[in-house]
Structures are given as structure tokens and as C-alpha cells.
Amino acid sequence: STLRPPNIPDHSDDIEEETRRIKLALSTVFTAQSNPTNNEVLSARDVADAYLTSFQQLPTAWMVCDGLLREETNVAIEDEAKRFFAAQTLHSKCRFDIHQLPVESLPSLRES
């Protein structure tokens, strides 16, 4: 289990629920960046950032990020950030966490 700072919500094993939470955390991070003077917003941003960081270590990150990259998007900054986060997470997981995947899933990962 990954250690998390206090006040960081637990992650969900349900892919749809975790995807919803990741989108909310990303939205919180980018809202805080556009309004950096509000301490309450900054605190929420810190929690969201810690949630996203701990998420990147989880085996469910493979499926959530794959789903985020496959979603239809528009040109909004938030969609761009979501796709960048998902791509960056998968890149890191391919480098450091490939052991989390069953060997039989590697060919489909290569094709995606």
C-alpha cells in the first residue's frame, strides 16, 4: 500500500469511480492555478495534487489513464491537461511499473 499524507481520500478499485475522482482532482488543480490567492483553494489543490501523485503508483492507473486517453475531447485546456497527465502517467508506469501488468497484456499495450 502506498503511504499518503493525512486528509488524502482513499482510492477506489472501481475504474469508473476512480476516473471520476481523477477528473475532479485535475479540475481542482487547474482551478487553483488560475486563482492562486485563495488559501482554501490552494489547500484543496494540495490535496488534489497528493491524490493524483499517489494514484500514479496504483495498478488501476493503467486502466484509468488508458480510458482518459481514449475519451473524445475538445480543445479545452482542461482536456489537454487530462490527456497530458494520462500520457505522462502511462509513460512512467511503462518505465517503472510494467511488472503490474500480466505478460499477456503486453502486446495490446504495444498496439495502443
Side-chain angles (χ1 to χ4, degrees):
S1 175
T2 305
L3 292 177
R4 290 188 311 278
N7 302 325
I8 306 302
D10 289 333
H11 291 280
S12 174
D13 290 331
D14 179 270
I15 300 303
E16 288 182 25
E17 175 61 21
E18 191 62 16
T19 299
R20 187 188 67 74
R21 292 177 185 183
I22 292 303
K23 288 178 179 179
L24 180 60
L26 286 167
S27 177
T28 301
V29 167
F30 290 104
T31 298
Q33 286 181 348
S34 65
N35 182 16
T37 58
N38 183 332
N39 285 340
E40 190 174 304
V41 170
L42 287 177
S43 176
R45 184 219 177 270
D46 291 343
V47 170
D49 185 60
Y51 188 85
L52 292 168
T53 300
S54 63
F55 160 79
Q56 291 178 306
Q57 311 297 314
L58 302 174
T60 53
W62 291 100
M63 292 178 64
V64 171
C65 289
D66 182 57
L68 290 174
L69 288 172
R70 292 176 188 274
E71 283 182 354
E72 287 190 32
T73 62
N74 57 45
V75 292
I77 296 296
E78 208 166 284
D79 277 349
E80 235 178 76
K82 175 186 73 175
R83 293 179 62 77
F84 180 79
F85 173 80
Q88 181 184 34
T89 298
L90 286 178
H91 172 77
S92 178
K93 294 198 79 56
C94 285
R95 292 187 64 208
F96 303 109
D97 295 329
I98 200 75
H99 64 276
Q100 292 175 336
L101 291 177
V103 173
E104 59 272 10
S105 69
L106 296 179
S108 67
L109 174 64
R110 216 174 287 127
E111 293 170 9
S112 65

